[in-house]
Coordinates of all heavy atoms in Angstrom, one line a residue:
M1 N 0.8 -1.2 0.0 CA 0.0 0.0 0.0 C 0.9 1.2 0.0 O 1.9 1.3 0.6 CB -0.9 0.0 1.2 CG -1.9 -1.1 1.3 SD -2.8 -1.0 2.8 CE -4.4 -0.7 2.1
S2 N 0.4 2.2 -0.7 CA 1.2 3.5 -0.8 C 0.9 4.3 0.5 O -0.2 4.3 1.0 CB 0.8 4.2 -2.0 OG 1.3 5.5 -2.0
S3 N 1.8 5.1 0.9 CA 1.6 6.0 2.0 C 1.4 7.5 1.5 O 1.6 8.4 2.2 CB 2.8 6.0 3.0 OG 4.0 6.4 2.3
D4 N 1.0 7.6 0.3 CA 0.9 8.9 -0.3 C -0.6 9.4 -0.1 O -1.5 8.8 -0.4 CB 1.2 8.9 -1.8 CG 1.1 10.2 -2.5 OD1 1.4 11.2 -1.8 OD2 0.8 10.3 -3.7
V5 N -0.7 10.6 0.5 CA -2.0 11.2 0.6 C -1.9 12.5 -0.2 O -1.1 13.3 0.0 CB -2.2 11.6 2.1 CG1 -3.5 12.3 2.3 CG2 -2.2 10.4 3.0
T6 N -2.9 12.7 -1.0 CA -3.0 13.9 -1.8 C -4.4 14.5 -1.7 O -5.3 13.8 -1.4 CB -2.7 13.7 -3.2 OG1 -3.7 12.9 -3.8 CG2 -1.3 13.1 -3.4
G7 N -4.5 15.8 -1.9 CA -5.8 16.4 -2.0 C -6.4 16.4 -3.4 O -7.4 17.0 -3.6
A8 N -5.7 15.7 -4.3 CA -6.2 15.7 -5.7 C -7.5 15.0 -5.7 O -7.7 14.0 -5.1 CB -5.2 15.0 -6.6
R9 N -8.4 15.6 -6.5 CA -9.7 15.0 -6.6 C -9.8 14.1 -7.8 O -9.3 14.5 -8.9 CB -10.7 16.1 -6.7 CG -10.5 17.1 -5.5 CD -11.7 17.4 -4.8 NE -12.9 16.9 -5.3 CZ -14.1 17.1 -4.8 NH1 -14.2 18.0 -3.8 NH2 -15.1 16.6 -5.3
Q10 N -10.4 13.0 -7.7 CA -10.5 12.1 -8.8 C -11.9 12.2 -9.5 O -12.3 11.3 -10.3 CB -10.2 10.6 -8.4 CG -8.8 10.5 -7.9 CD -8.5 9.0 -7.5 OE1 -9.5 8.3 -7.3 NE2 -7.3 8.7 -7.2
G11 N -12.7 13.1 -9.1 CA -14.0 13.3 -9.6 C -15.0 13.5 -8.4 O -14.6 13.1 -7.3
A12 N -16.1 14.0 -8.7 CA -17.1 14.3 -7.7 C -17.7 13.0 -7.2 O -18.1 12.1 -8.0 CB -18.1 15.2 -8.2
A13 N -17.8 12.8 -5.9 CA -18.5 11.7 -5.3 C -20.0 12.0 -5.4 O -20.5 13.1 -5.7 CB -18.1 11.5 -3.9
D14 N -20.8 11.0 -5.2 CA -22.3 11.1 -5.2 C -22.7 12.3 -4.3 O -22.3 12.3 -3.2 CB -23.0 9.8 -4.8 CG -22.8 8.7 -5.8 OD1 -22.6 9.0 -6.9 OD2 -22.9 7.5 -5.4
G15 N -23.5 13.2 -4.8 CA -24.1 14.3 -4.1 C -23.1 15.4 -3.8 O -23.3 16.3 -3.1
E16 N -21.9 15.3 -4.4 CA -20.9 16.3 -4.2 C -20.8 17.2 -5.4 O -20.9 16.8 -6.5 CB -19.5 15.6 -4.0 CG -18.5 16.5 -3.3 CD -17.3 15.6 -3.0 OE1 -17.4 14.5 -2.6 OE2 -16.2 16.1 -3.2
T17 N -20.6 18.5 -5.1 CA -20.5 19.5 -6.2 C -19.1 19.4 -6.8 O -18.2 19.5 -6.1 CB -20.8 20.9 -5.7 OG1 -22.0 20.9 -5.0 CG2 -20.8 21.9 -6.8
S18 N -19.1 19.2 -8.1 CA -17.8 19.1 -8.7 C -17.0 20.4 -8.7 O -15.8 20.3 -8.9 CB -17.9 18.6 -10.2 OG -18.7 19.5 -10.9
G19 N -17.6 21.5 -8.6 CA -16.9 22.8 -8.6 C -16.1 23.1 -7.3 O -15.4 24.0 -7.1
R20 N -16.4 22.3 -6.2 CA -15.8 22.5 -4.9 C -14.3 22.0 -5.0 O -14.1 20.8 -5.0 CB -16.6 21.8 -3.9 CG -16.0 21.9 -2.5 CD -16.9 21.2 -1.5 NE -16.3 21.1 -0.2 CZ -16.6 20.2 0.7 NH1 -17.6 19.4 0.5 NH2 -16.0 20.2 1.8
G21 N -13.4 22.9 -4.9 CA -12.0 22.5 -5.0 C -11.3 22.7 -3.6 O -11.7 23.6 -2.9
T22 N -10.3 22.0 -3.4 CA -9.5 22.1 -2.2 C -8.0 22.1 -2.6 O -7.6 21.5 -3.6 CB -9.7 21.0 -1.2 OG1 -9.4 19.8 -1.8 CG2 -11.2 21.0 -0.7
A23 N -7.2 22.8 -1.8 CA -5.8 22.8 -2.0 C -5.2 21.6 -1.5 O -5.6 21.1 -0.4 CB -5.2 24.1 -1.3
P24 N -4.2 21.0 -2.1 CA -3.6 19.8 -1.7 C -2.7 20.0 -0.4 O -2.2 21.1 -0.3 CB -2.7 19.3 -2.8 CG -2.4 20.6 -3.6 CD -3.6 21.4 -3.4
I25 N -2.6 19.0 0.4 CA -1.6 19.1 1.5 C -0.5 18.1 1.1 O -0.7 17.0 0.7 CB -2.3 18.5 2.8 CG1 -3.3 19.5 3.3 CG2 -1.2 18.4 3.9 CD1 -4.1 19.1 4.5
R26 N 0.7 18.7 1.2 CA 1.9 17.9 0.8 C 2.4 17.1 2.0 O 3.1 17.8 2.8 CB 2.9 18.8 0.1 CG 2.5 19.4 -1.2 CD 3.5 20.3 -1.7 NE 3.1 20.9 -2.9 CZ 2.5 22.1 -3.0 NH1 2.2 22.7 -1.9 NH2 2.2 22.6 -4.1
W27 N 2.2 15.8 2.1 CA 2.6 15.1 3.2 C 4.1 14.6 3.0 O 4.8 14.5 4.0 CB 1.7 13.8 3.4 CG 0.4 14.2 3.9 CD1 -0.7 14.4 3.1 CD2 -0.1 14.2 5.2 NE1 -1.8 14.7 3.9 CE2 -1.4 14.6 5.2 CE3 0.6 14.1 6.5 CZ2 -2.2 14.7 6.4 CZ3 -0.2 14.2 7.6 CH2 -1.5 14.5 7.5
R28 N 4.4 14.2 1.8 CA 5.7 13.5 1.6 C 6.7 14.4 1.0 O 7.4 13.9 0.1 CB 5.5 12.3 0.7 CG 4.7 11.2 1.4 CD 4.9 9.9 0.7 NE 4.8 10.1 -0.8 CZ 5.1 9.2 -1.6 NH1 5.7 8.1 -1.3 NH2 5.0 9.5 -2.9
G29 N 6.9 15.5 1.4 CA 8.0 16.3 0.7 C 7.9 17.7 1.1 O 7.0 18.2 1.7
R30 N 8.8 18.4 0.6 CA 8.9 19.9 0.9 C 8.2 20.6 -0.3 O 7.9 20.0 -1.3 CB 10.3 20.3 1.0 CG 11.0 19.5 2.1 CD 12.2 20.3 2.7 NE 12.9 19.5 3.6 CZ 12.6 19.3 4.9 NH1 11.5 19.8 5.3 NH2 13.4 18.7 5.7
A31 N 8.0 21.9 -0.1 CA 7.4 22.7 -1.1 C 8.3 22.7 -2.3 O 9.5 22.6 -2.1 CB 7.1 24.1 -0.6
P32 N 7.8 22.9 -3.5 CA 8.6 23.0 -4.7 C 9.6 24.1 -4.5 O 9.4 25.1 -3.8 CB 7.7 23.3 -5.8 CG 6.3 22.9 -5.3 CD 6.4 23.0 -3.8
A33 N 10.8 24.0 -5.1 CA 11.9 25.0 -5.0 C 11.4 26.4 -5.3 O 11.9 27.4 -4.8 CB 13.1 24.6 -5.8
A34 N 10.5 26.5 -6.3 CA 10.0 27.8 -6.7 C 9.1 28.5 -5.7 O 8.8 29.7 -5.8 CB 9.3 27.7 -8.1
A35 N 8.6 27.7 -4.7 CA 7.6 28.3 -3.8 C 8.3 29.2 -2.8 O 9.4 28.8 -2.3 CB 6.9 27.2 -3.0
P36 N 7.7 30.3 -2.4 CA 8.4 31.2 -1.4 C 8.4 30.5 0.0 O 7.7 29.5 0.2 CB 7.5 32.4 -1.4 CG 6.3 32.1 -2.2 CD 6.5 30.8 -2.9
A37 N 9.3 30.9 0.8 CA 9.5 30.3 2.1 C 8.2 30.4 2.9 O 7.9 29.5 3.7 CB 10.6 31.0 2.9
A38 N 7.4 31.5 2.8 CA 6.2 31.6 3.5 C 5.2 30.5 3.1 O 4.5 29.9 4.0 CB 5.5 32.9 3.3
A39 N 5.2 30.1 1.8 CA 4.3 29.0 1.4 C 4.8 27.7 2.0 O 3.9 26.9 2.4 CB 4.3 28.9 -0.1
A40 N 6.1 27.5 2.1 CA 6.6 26.2 2.7 C 6.2 26.1 4.2 O 6.0 25.1 4.7 CB 8.1 26.1 2.5
A41 N 6.2 27.3 4.8 CA 5.9 27.3 6.3 C 4.4 27.0 6.5 O 4.0 26.6 7.6 CB 6.2 28.7 6.9
D42 N 3.6 27.1 5.5 CA 2.1 26.8 5.6 C 1.8 25.4 5.5 O 0.7 24.9 5.9 CB 1.3 27.6 4.6 CG 0.9 29.0 5.0 OD1 1.2 29.3 6.2 OD2 0.4 29.7 4.2
L43 N 2.8 24.6 5.1 CA 2.5 23.1 4.9 C 2.7 22.4 6.1 O 3.6 22.7 7.0 CB 3.5 22.6 3.8 CG 3.3 23.2 2.4 CD1 4.4 22.7 1.4 CD2 1.9 23.0 1.8
L44 N 2.0 21.3 6.3 CA 2.2 20.4 7.4 C 3.5 19.6 7.2 O 3.9 19.4 6.1 CB 1.0 19.4 7.5 CG -0.3 20.0 7.8 CD1 -1.4 18.9 7.7 CD2 -0.3 20.5 9.2
P45 N 4.1 19.2 8.3 CA 5.3 18.4 8.2 C 5.0 17.1 7.5 O 3.9 16.5 7.7 CB 5.8 18.2 9.6 CG 4.9 18.9 10.5 CD 3.8 19.5 9.7
P46 N 5.9 16.5 6.8 CA 5.6 15.2 6.1 C 5.4 14.1 7.2 O 6.1 14.1 8.2 CB 6.9 14.9 5.3 CG 7.7 16.2 5.3 CD 7.2 17.0 6.4
I47 N 4.5 13.3 6.9 CA 4.2 12.1 7.8 C 3.6 11.0 7.0 O 2.8 11.2 6.1 CB 3.3 12.5 9.0 CG1 3.1 11.4 10.0 CG2 1.9 13.0 8.5 CD1 2.4 11.8 11.3
S48 N 4.0 9.8 7.3 CA 3.5 8.6 6.6 C 2.2 8.1 7.3 O 2.0 8.4 8.5 CB 4.5 7.5 6.5 OG 4.8 7.0 7.7
W49 N 1.5 7.3 6.7 CA 0.3 6.7 7.3 C 0.8 5.8 8.5 O 0.1 5.8 9.5 CB -0.5 5.9 6.3 CG -1.3 6.7 5.4 CD1 -1.1 7.1 4.1 CD2 -2.6 7.4 5.8 NE1 -2.1 7.9 3.7 CE2 -3.0 8.1 4.6 CE3 -3.4 7.4 6.9 CZ2 -4.2 8.8 4.6 CZ3 -4.6 8.1 6.9 CH2 -5.0 8.8 5.7
A50 N 1.9 5.1 8.3 CA 2.4 4.3 9.4 C 2.8 5.1 10.6 O 2.6 4.7 11.8 CB 3.6 3.5 8.9
Q51 N 3.4 6.3 10.4 CA 3.8 7.2 11.5 C 2.5 7.7 12.2 O 2.5 7.8 13.4 CB 4.6 8.3 11.0 CG 6.0 7.9 10.6 CD 6.8 9.1 9.9 OE1 6.2 9.8 9.0 NE2 8.0 9.2 10.2
L52 N 1.5 8.1 11.4 CA 0.3 8.6 11.9 C -0.4 7.5 12.8 O -0.9 7.7 13.9 CB -0.6 9.0 10.8 CG -2.0 9.6 11.2 CD1 -1.7 10.9 12.1 CD2 -2.8 10.0 10.0
E53 N -0.4 6.2 12.3 CA -0.9 5.1 13.1 C -0.2 4.9 14.4 O -0.8 4.7 15.4 CB -0.9 3.8 12.2 CG -1.5 2.7 13.0 CD -1.6 1.4 12.2 OE1 -1.6 1.5 10.9 OE2 -1.6 0.3 12.8
E54 N 1.1 5.1 14.3 CA 1.9 4.9 15.5 C 1.6 6.0 16.6 O 1.4 5.7 17.7 CB 3.4 5.0 15.2 CG 4.4 4.7 16.3 CD 5.8 4.7 15.8 OE1 6.1 4.2 14.7 OE2 6.6 5.1 16.6
V55 N 1.4 7.2 16.1 CA 1.1 8.3 17.0 C -0.3 8.1 17.6 O -0.4 8.2 18.9 CB 1.2 9.7 16.3 CG1 0.6 10.8 17.1 CG2 2.6 10.0 15.9
L56 N -1.3 7.8 16.8 CA -2.6 7.6 17.3 C -2.7 6.4 18.2 O -3.5 6.4 19.2 CB -3.6 7.6 16.1 CG -3.8 8.9 15.4 CD1 -4.7 8.7 14.1 CD2 -4.4 10.0 16.3
S57 N -2.0 5.3 17.8 CA -2.1 4.1 18.7 C -1.4 4.4 20.0 O -1.9 3.8 21.0 CB -1.4 3.0 18.0 OG -2.1 2.6 16.8
A58 N -0.4 5.2 20.1 CA 0.3 5.5 21.3 C -0.7 6.3 22.2 O -0.5 6.2 23.5 CB 1.5 6.3 21.1
M59 N -1.6 7.0 21.7 CA -2.6 7.7 22.5 C -3.7 6.8 23.1 O -4.3 7.2 24.1 CB -3.3 8.8 21.6 CG -2.5 9.9 21.1 SD -3.3 11.0 20.0 CE -4.8 11.5 20.9
A60 N -3.8 5.6 22.5 CA -4.9 4.7 22.9 C -4.5 4.2 24.3 O -3.4 3.8 24.6 CB -5.0 3.5 22.0
V61 N -5.5 4.1 25.2 CA -5.3 3.7 26.6 C -5.5 2.2 26.7 O -4.8 1.5 27.4 CB -6.4 4.4 27.5 CG1 -6.2 3.9 28.9 CG2 -6.2 5.9 27.4
T62 N -6.4 1.6 25.8 CA -6.6 0.2 25.9 C -6.2 -0.5 24.6 O -6.1 0.2 23.5 CB -8.1 -0.1 26.1 OG1 -8.9 0.3 25.0 CG2 -8.6 0.5 27.4
T63 N -6.1 -1.8 24.6 CA -5.8 -2.5 23.3 C -7.0 -2.4 22.4 O -6.8 -2.4 21.1 CB -5.4 -4.0 23.6 OG1 -6.5 -4.6 24.3 CG2 -4.1 -4.1 24.4
D64 N -8.2 -2.4 22.9 CA -9.4 -2.2 22.0 C -9.3 -0.9 21.3 O -9.6 -0.8 20.1 CB -10.7 -2.3 22.8 CG -11.0 -3.7 23.3 OD1 -10.4 -4.7 22.7 OD2 -11.8 -3.8 24.2
Q65 N -8.9 0.2 22.0 CA -8.7 1.5 21.3 C -7.7 1.5 20.2 O -7.8 2.0 19.2 CB -8.4 2.6 22.3 CG -9.6 3.0 23.1 CD -9.3 4.1 24.1 OE1 -8.1 4.3 24.5 NE2 -10.3 4.9 24.4
A66 N -6.6 0.8 20.5 CA -5.5 0.7 19.5 C -6.0 -0.1 18.3 O -5.6 0.3 17.2 CB -4.3 -0.1 20.1
L67 N -6.8 -1.1 18.5 CA -7.3 -1.9 17.4 C -8.3 -1.0 16.6 O -8.3 -0.9 15.3 CB -8.1 -3.1 17.9 CG -8.7 -4.0 16.8 CD1 -7.7 -4.6 15.9 CD2 -9.5 -5.1 17.5
M68 N -9.1 -0.2 17.3 CA -10.0 0.8 16.7 C -9.3 1.8 15.8 O -9.7 2.1 14.7 CB -10.8 1.5 17.7 CG -11.8 2.5 17.2 SD -12.7 3.4 18.5 CE -11.4 4.5 19.1
V69 N -8.1 2.3 16.3 CA -7.3 3.2 15.6 C -6.9 2.6 14.2 O -7.0 3.2 13.2 CB -6.1 3.7 16.4 CG1 -5.0 4.3 15.5 CG2 -6.5 4.6 17.5
R70 N -6.4 1.4 14.3 CA -5.9 0.7 13.1 C -7.1 0.6 12.0 O -6.9 0.9 10.9 CB -5.3 -0.6 13.4 CG -3.9 -0.5 14.0 CD -3.2 -1.8 14.0 NE -3.9 -2.9 14.8 CZ -3.8 -3.1 16.1 NH1 -3.1 -2.3 16.8 NH2 -4.4 -4.1 16.6
H71 N -8.2 0.2 12.5 CA -9.4 0.0 11.6 C -9.9 1.3 11.0 O -10.1 1.4 9.8 CB -10.5 -0.8 12.3 CG -10.2 -2.2 12.5 ND1 -10.1 -3.1 11.4 CD2 -10.0 -2.9 13.6 CE1 -9.9 -4.3 11.9 NE2 -9.8 -4.2 13.2
L72 N -10.0 2.3 11.9 CA -10.5 3.6 11.4 C -9.5 4.3 10.5 O -9.9 4.9 9.5 CB -10.9 4.5 12.6 CG -12.1 4.1 13.5 CD1 -12.2 5.0 14.7 CD2 -13.3 4.0 12.6
L73 N -8.3 4.2 10.8 CA -7.2 4.8 10.0 C -7.1 4.1 8.7 O -6.9 4.8 7.6 CB -5.9 4.8 10.7 CG -4.9 5.9 10.3 CD1 -5.5 7.3 10.3 CD2 -3.7 5.8 11.1
A74 N -7.3 2.8 8.6 CA -7.3 2.1 7.3 C -8.5 2.6 6.5 O -8.3 2.8 5.3 CB -7.5 0.6 7.6
G75 N -9.6 2.9 7.1 CA -10.7 3.4 6.3 C -10.5 4.8 5.8 O -10.8 5.2 4.7
A76 N -9.9 5.7 6.7 CA -9.5 7.0 6.3 C -8.5 7.0 5.1 O -8.6 7.8 4.2 CB -9.0 7.8 7.5
R77 N -7.6 6.1 5.2 CA -6.5 6.0 4.2 C -7.2 5.6 2.9 O -6.8 6.1 1.8 CB -5.5 5.0 4.6 CG -4.3 4.9 3.6 CD -3.3 3.9 4.2 NE -2.2 3.8 3.2 CZ -1.1 3.1 3.5 NH1 -1.0 2.5 4.6 NH2 -0.1 3.1 2.6
R78 N -8.1 4.6 2.9 CA -8.8 4.1 1.7 C -9.6 5.2 1.1 O -9.6 5.3 -0.1 CB -9.6 2.9 2.1 CG -10.4 2.3 1.0 CD -11.5 1.4 1.4 NE -12.5 2.2 2.1 CZ -13.0 1.9 3.4 NH1 -12.5 0.8 4.0 NH2 -13.9 2.6 3.9
D79 N -10.2 6.0 1.9 CA -11.1 7.1 1.4 C -10.4 8.4 1.0 O -11.0 9.2 0.3 CB -12.2 7.4 2.4 CG -13.1 6.2 2.7 OD1 -13.2 5.3 1.9 OD2 -13.8 6.3 3.7
A80 N -9.2 8.6 1.5 CA -8.5 9.8 1.3 C -8.4 10.3 -0.2 O -8.6 11.5 -0.5 CB -7.1 9.8 1.9
P81 N -8.1 9.4 -1.1 CA -8.0 9.9 -2.5 C -9.2 10.5 -3.1 O -9.2 11.3 -4.0 CB -7.5 8.7 -3.3 CG -6.9 7.8 -2.3 CD -7.7 8.0 -1.0
R82 N -10.4 10.1 -2.6 CA -11.7 10.6 -3.2 C -12.4 11.6 -2.4 O -13.4 12.1 -2.8 CB -12.6 9.4 -3.5 CG -13.1 8.7 -2.3 CD -14.0 7.5 -2.7 NE -14.5 6.9 -1.5 CZ -15.5 7.3 -0.7 NH1 -16.2 8.3 -1.0 NH2 -15.9 6.6 0.3
L83 N -11.8 12.0 -1.3 CA -12.4 13.0 -0.4 C -11.6 14.3 -0.5 O -10.4 14.3 -0.7 CB -12.4 12.5 1.0 CG -13.3 11.4 1.4 CD1 -13.2 11.0 2.8 CD2 -14.8 11.7 1.1
P84 N -12.3 15.4 -0.2 CA -11.6 16.7 0.0 C -10.6 16.6 1.1 O -10.8 15.8 2.1 CB -12.6 17.7 0.3 CG -13.9 17.1 -0.1 CD -13.7 15.6 0.0
V85 N -9.5 17.3 1.1 CA -8.5 17.2 2.1 C -9.0 17.5 3.5 O -8.7 16.8 4.5 CB -7.3 18.2 1.8 CG1 -6.3 18.3 2.9 CG2 -6.6 17.8 0.5
E86 N -10.0 18.4 3.5 CA -10.6 18.8 4.8 C -11.3 17.6 5.5 O -11.2 17.5 6.7 CB -11.6 20.0 4.7 CG -10.9 21.3 4.3 CD -10.7 21.4 2.8 OE1 -11.1 20.5 2.0 OE2 -10.2 22.4 2.3
E87 N -11.9 16.8 4.7 CA -12.6 15.6 5.2 C -11.6 14.6 5.8 O -11.9 14.0 6.8 CB -13.5 15.0 4.1 CG -14.7 15.8 3.7 CD -15.7 16.0 4.8 OE1 -15.9 15.0 5.6 OE2 -16.2 17.1 5.0
T88 N -10.5 14.4 5.1 CA -9.5 13.5 5.5 C -8.9 13.9 6.9 O -8.7 13.2 7.8 CB -8.4 13.3 4.5 OG1 -9.0 12.8 3.3 CG2 -7.3 12.3 4.9
I89 N -8.6 15.2 6.9 CA -8.0 15.8 8.2 C -9.1 15.7 9.3 O -8.7 15.3 10.4 CB -7.6 17.3 8.0 CG1 -6.5 17.4 6.9 CG2 -7.2 17.9 9.3 CD1 -5.2 16.6 7.3
R90 N -10.3 16.0 9.0 CA -11.4 15.8 10.0 C -11.5 14.4 10.5 O -11.6 14.1 11.7 CB -12.7 16.3 9.4 CG -13.8 16.3 10.5 CD -15.1 16.8 9.9 NE -15.0 18.2 9.6 CZ -15.1 18.8 8.4 NH1 -15.5 18.0 7.3 NH2 -15.0 20.1 8.2
D91 N -11.4 13.4 9.6 CA -11.4 12.0 10.0 C -10.3 11.7 11.0 O -10.5 11.0 12.0 CB -11.3 11.1 8.8 CG -12.6 11.1 7.9 OD1 -13.6 11.6 8.4 OD2 -12.5 10.5 6.8
I92 N -9.1 12.1 10.6 CA -7.9 11.9 11.4 C -8.1 12.5 12.8 O -7.8 11.9 13.9 CB -6.6 12.4 10.7 CG1 -6.4 11.5 9.5 CG2 -5.4 12.3 11.7 CD1 -5.3 12.0 8.6
L93 N -8.5 13.8 12.8 CA -8.7 14.4 14.1 C -9.8 13.8 15.0 O -9.7 13.7 16.2 CB -9.1 15.9 13.9 CG -8.0 16.8 13.3 CD1 -8.5 18.2 13.0 CD2 -6.8 16.8 14.3
C94 N -10.8 13.2 14.3 CA -11.9 12.5 15.1 C -11.4 11.2 15.6 O -11.7 10.8 16.8 CB -13.1 12.3 14.2 SG -14.1 13.7 13.8
I95 N -10.5 10.5 14.9 CA -9.9 9.3 15.4 C -9.1 9.7 16.7 O -9.1 9.0 17.7 CB -9.0 8.6 14.4 CG1 -9.9 8.1 13.2 CG2 -8.2 7.5 15.0 CD1 -9.1 7.7 12.0
G96 N -8.3 10.7 16.6 CA -7.5 11.2 17.7 C -8.4 11.5 18.9 O -8.1 11.2 20.1
A97 N -9.5 12.2 18.7 CA -10.4 12.6 19.8 C -11.0 11.4 20.4 O -11.3 11.3 21.6 CB -11.5 13.5 19.2
A98 N -11.3 10.3 19.6 CA -11.9 9.1 20.1 C -11.0 8.3 21.1 O -11.5 7.7 22.0 CB -12.3 8.2 18.9
V99 N -9.7 8.5 20.9 CA -8.8 7.7 21.8 C -8.1 8.6 22.8 O -7.4 8.1 23.6 CB -7.7 7.0 20.9 CG1 -8.3 5.9 20.1 CG2 -6.8 7.9 20.1
A100 N -8.4 9.9 22.7 CA -7.7 10.8 23.7 C -8.2 10.4 25.1 O -9.4 10.1 25.3 CB -8.1 12.2 23.4
P101 N -7.4 10.5 26.1 CA -7.8 10.2 27.5 C -8.9 11.2 27.9 O -8.9 12.4 27.5 CB -6.5 10.5 28.3 CG -5.4 10.7 27.4 CD -6.0 10.9 26.0
V102 N -9.8 10.7 28.7 CA -10.9 11.5 29.2 C -10.4 12.6 30.2 O -10.8 13.7 30.1 CB -12.0 10.6 29.9 CG1 -13.1 11.5 30.5 CG2 -12.6 9.6 28.9
E103 N -9.5 12.1 31.0 CA -8.9 13.1 32.0 C -7.7 13.7 31.3 O -6.9 13.1 30.7 CB -8.4 12.3 33.3 CG -9.5 11.7 34.1 CD -10.5 12.8 34.7 OE1 -10.0 13.8 35.1 OE2 -11.7 12.5 34.7
P104 N -7.6 15.1 31.5 CA -6.5 15.7 30.9 C -5.2 15.3 31.5 O -5.1 15.0 32.7 CB -6.7 17.2 31.1 CG -7.9 17.3 32.1 CD -8.5 15.9 32.1
I105 N -4.2 15.2 30.7 CA -2.8 14.8 31.2 C -2.2 16.0 31.8 O -2.1 17.0 31.1 CB -2.0 14.2 30.1 CG1 -2.7 12.9 29.5 CG2 -0.6 13.9 30.5 CD1 -2.0 12.4 28.2
A106 N -1.7 15.9 33.0 CA -1.1 17.0 33.7 C 0.3 17.3 33.0 O 1.0 16.4 32.8 CB -0.9 16.7 35.2
R107 N 0.5 18.5 32.7 CA 1.8 18.9 32.2 C 2.7 19.4 33.3 O 2.2 20.1 34.2 CB 1.6 20.0 31.1 CG 0.8 19.5 29.9 CD 0.6 20.6 28.9 NE -0.1 20.1 27.8 CZ 0.3 20.2 26.5 NH1 1.4 20.7 26.3 NH2 -0.5 19.7 25.6
P108 N 3.9 19.1 33.2 CA 4.8 19.7 34.2 C 4.9 21.2 34.2 O 4.8 21.8 33.1 CB 6.2 19.1 33.9 CG 6.1 18.5 32.5 CD 4.6 18.4 32.2
A109 N 5.1 21.8 35.3 CA 5.2 23.2 35.4 C 6.4 23.7 34.7 O 7.5 23.1 34.7 CB 5.2 23.7 36.9
A110 N 6.3 24.8 34.0 CA 7.5 25.4 33.2 C 8.5 26.1 34.1 O 8.2 26.5 35.1 CB 7.0 26.3 32.2

């Protein structure tokens, strides 16, 4: 399986307006050399699906939650090429929220 995530649209899904466009998020690389430094600073850092799964699984408190992360992330990865980038990011954030601890983790005093 490829770990490439793009915001490129392969066509409108059922019920989706084809004129709705989104800007791609570049996960696996830096901005093109011609892009200004400010544009490069706007991009998310590169991350693979495996790294994302590792981070989200580490957040899981139980083995059931870790299993849930793997299944939900596999679905998000499968759907990513045909969804707008915002939907994929929303899916990933929802997976993280589902496994986040209920009690806030105490941060050490600065």
Side-chain angles (χ1 to χ4, degrees):
M1 295 178 119
S2 170
S3 62
D4 184 28
V5 177
T6 64
R9 307 228 358 184
Q10 296 179 350
D14 292 335
E16 197 173 320
T17 306
S18 61
R20 180 177 167 199
T22 59
I25 293 178
R26 295 176 180 92
W27 290 89
R28 289 194 319 162
R30 304 206 184 280
D42 272 353
L43 299 176
L44 294 173
I47 187 169
S48 69
W49 284 101
Q51 290 170 319
L52 183 59
E53 181 178 334
E54 187 176 322
V55 168
L56 292 173
S57 293
M59 291 173 56
V61 177
T62 67
T63 55
D64 287 340
Q65 284 183 333
L67 180 63
M68 178 184 70
V69 164
R70 286 194 300 274
H71 287 292
L72 292 175
L73 203 54
R77 182 178 182 174
R78 180 194 64 233
D79 295 342
R82 65 179 180 82
L83 292 176
V85 174
E86 293 85 0
E87 291 295 321
T88 301
I89 298 299
R90 185 176 293 120
D91 287 348
I92 292 167
L93 292 173
C94 287
I95 294 168
V99 297
V102 176
E103 294 296 320
I105 298 172
R107 295 181 181 233

